[in-house]
């Protein structure tokens, strides 16, 4: 067993759950003494904390007039070979099947020609399987990348099952859920912040996402309109993306634009979650729903759909309520029911916090370390 591993982590640097998980995993591993090399086309958005064990390698994609489409995957593959060789990595952990796992598999085969054998861990996050995976043109690459990885993890039992159902997988898939660093979350409401957004008698609903279609942000607005007609309330919309404008237009059309604040992309969402009563996540699908877990860690009850891995996070009638995708009446009525019954709301908030604690970093990190150690032992033999 190697006490302190050299681990390469490949992830998307953008505002999204997979980047958050990869970055926070890397930071936690570095804090435990492992040497972590992040490899991505930009600095991951939550990587603002440097330690002596953390390095960042940027993948540059030169603009050649010859190529109509820049071959990012090849630039990434070359970078992986270079970093693995010169930093003497023990493990490459890639988040997302394509293009990260497929580039890593390629890099692994190239490294083998130098006599270097480096195991690849692939973590599946969801849209690589649930959305891209449904596009048949990607199927052979996704299948190959998963089957050629040395270990594969999925962020929920549901995603594991979906992957096994939709692909011809020969590898074992281990479900390791998303995690949360509970020490970063504050369960005390920041009253002065709250007063900036709502009056004393108003409840606060929050939605956070990258405003992709899969998040169904217009449903958030429609649910809020129904809630607001019965309970004095405000809605805070945090994040940005392709569906934001439509959601803003809908608020104006419904005449609730003064009750809804679009705050854009924010760092430090913990502060905003501390002032929320209800978190609304009406997604078409979520392999896990990390943001719901973040809300629960802030002692917020969750109204969500029952799609994908959400039932593993939001426990129906306990930490919040689950509904079928698009069942806006139920989601609105469940919210109204909770907001009108303070005891029930407090009970749900406490349950949410208790359930979130089961996903605390110290419970999940050893599961990844066990995967790495298992592989590094096998490679040494
Ligand atoms: O949800 C997004 O749009 C971002 C996406 C990503 O690829 O970063 O999140 C996925 O991975 C997260 C971390 O594992 C999960 O918590 C999200 O549920 C998952 N999103 C979807 O499945 C839609």
């Amino acid at each position: 067993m190697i006490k302190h591993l050299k681990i390469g982590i490949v992830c998307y640097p953008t505002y999204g759950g997979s980047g958050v998980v990869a970055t926070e995993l890397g930071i936690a591993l570095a804090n435990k003494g492992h040497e972590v090399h992040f490899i991505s086309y930009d600095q991951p958005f939550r990587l603002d904390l440097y330690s002596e064990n953390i390095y960042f390698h940027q993948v540059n994609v030169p603009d050649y007039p010859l190529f109509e489409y820049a071959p990012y995957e090849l630039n990434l593959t070359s970078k992986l070979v270079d970093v693995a060789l010169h930093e003497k990595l023990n493990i490459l952990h890639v988040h997302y099947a394509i293009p990260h796992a497929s580039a890593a598999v390629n890099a692994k085969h190239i490294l083998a020609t130098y006599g270097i054998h480096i195991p690849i861990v692939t973590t599946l996050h969801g849209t690589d399987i649930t959305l891209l995976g449904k596009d048949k043109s990607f199927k052979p690459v996704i299948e190959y990348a998963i089957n050629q990885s040395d270990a594969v993890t999925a962020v929920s039992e549901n995603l594991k099952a979906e992957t096994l159902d939709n692909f011809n997988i020969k590898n074992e898939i281990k479900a390791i859920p998303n995690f949360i660093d509970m020490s970063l979350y504050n369960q005390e409401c920041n009253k002065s912040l709250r007063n900036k957004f709502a009056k004393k008698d108003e409840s606060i609903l929050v939605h956070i996402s990258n405003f992709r279609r899969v998040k169904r942000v217009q449903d958030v607005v429609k649910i809020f309109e129904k809630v607001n007609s019965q309970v004095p309330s405000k809605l805070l919309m945090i994040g940005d993306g392709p569906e934001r404008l439509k959601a803003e237009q809908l608020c104006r059309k419904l005449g609730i634009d003064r009750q809804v604040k679009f705050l854009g992309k924010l760092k430090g969402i913990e502060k905003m979650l501390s002032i929320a009563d209800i978190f609304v996540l009406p997604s078409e699908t979520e392999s896990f729903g990390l943001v719901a877990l973040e809300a629960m860690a802030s002692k917020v009850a969750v109204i969500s759909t029952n799609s994908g891995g959400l039932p593993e996070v939001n426990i129906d009638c306990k930490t919040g309520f689950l509904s079928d995708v698009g069942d806006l009446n139920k989601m609105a009525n469940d919210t109204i029911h909770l907001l009108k019954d303070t005891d029930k709301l407090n009970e749900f908030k406490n349950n949410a916090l208790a359930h979130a604690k089961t996903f605390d970093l110290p419970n999940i990190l050893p599961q990844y370390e066990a995967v790495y150690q298992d592989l590094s032992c096998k490679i040494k033999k």
Side-chain angles (χ1 to χ4, degrees), residues 14-74:
T14 43
Y15 201 74
S18 65
V20 172
V21 169
T23 308
E24 291 186 351
L25 175 63
I27 293 170
L29 290 163
N31 287 339
K32 285 192 87 174
H34 300 289
E35 187 176 297
V36 178
H37 293 262
F38 285 97
I39 303 150
S40 188
Y41 59 82
D42 208 347
Q43 184 177 324
F45 87 100
R46 283 213 187 159
L47 187 67
D48 49 10
L49 176 104
Y50 281 95
S51 92
E52 55 182 336
N53 293 331
I54 294 182
Y55 300 83
F56 170 58
H57 306 265
Q58 185 155 356
V59 182
N60 295 308
V61 186
D63 198 12
Y64 291 119
L66 186 66
F67 296 134
E68 195 173 344
Y69 303 105
Y72 172 68
E73 189 170 339
L74 298 184

Side-chain angles (χ1 to χ4, degrees), residues 214-229:
V214 68
K215 304 295 172 182
R216 297 180 67 106
V217 285
Q218 295 195 56
D219 283 6
V220 180
V221 172
K222 291 176 192 162
I223 293 164
F224 176 71
E225 189 215 8
K226 291 178 197 291
V227 172
N228 188 249
S229 69

Side-chain angles (χ1 to χ4, degrees), residues 12 14-21 96 124-128 130-131 155 178 210 212 214-215 283 285-291:
Y12 280 114
T14 43
Y15 201 74
S18 65
V20 172
V21 169
Y96 247 84
L124 306 173
H125 281 276
T127 38
D128 43 357
T130 52
L131 298 181
V155 297
N178 283 179
N210 50 18
R212 290 197 294 147
V214 68
K215 304 295 172 182
S283 303
T285 182
E286 285 294 340
S287 64
F288 183 88
L290 178 62
V291 70

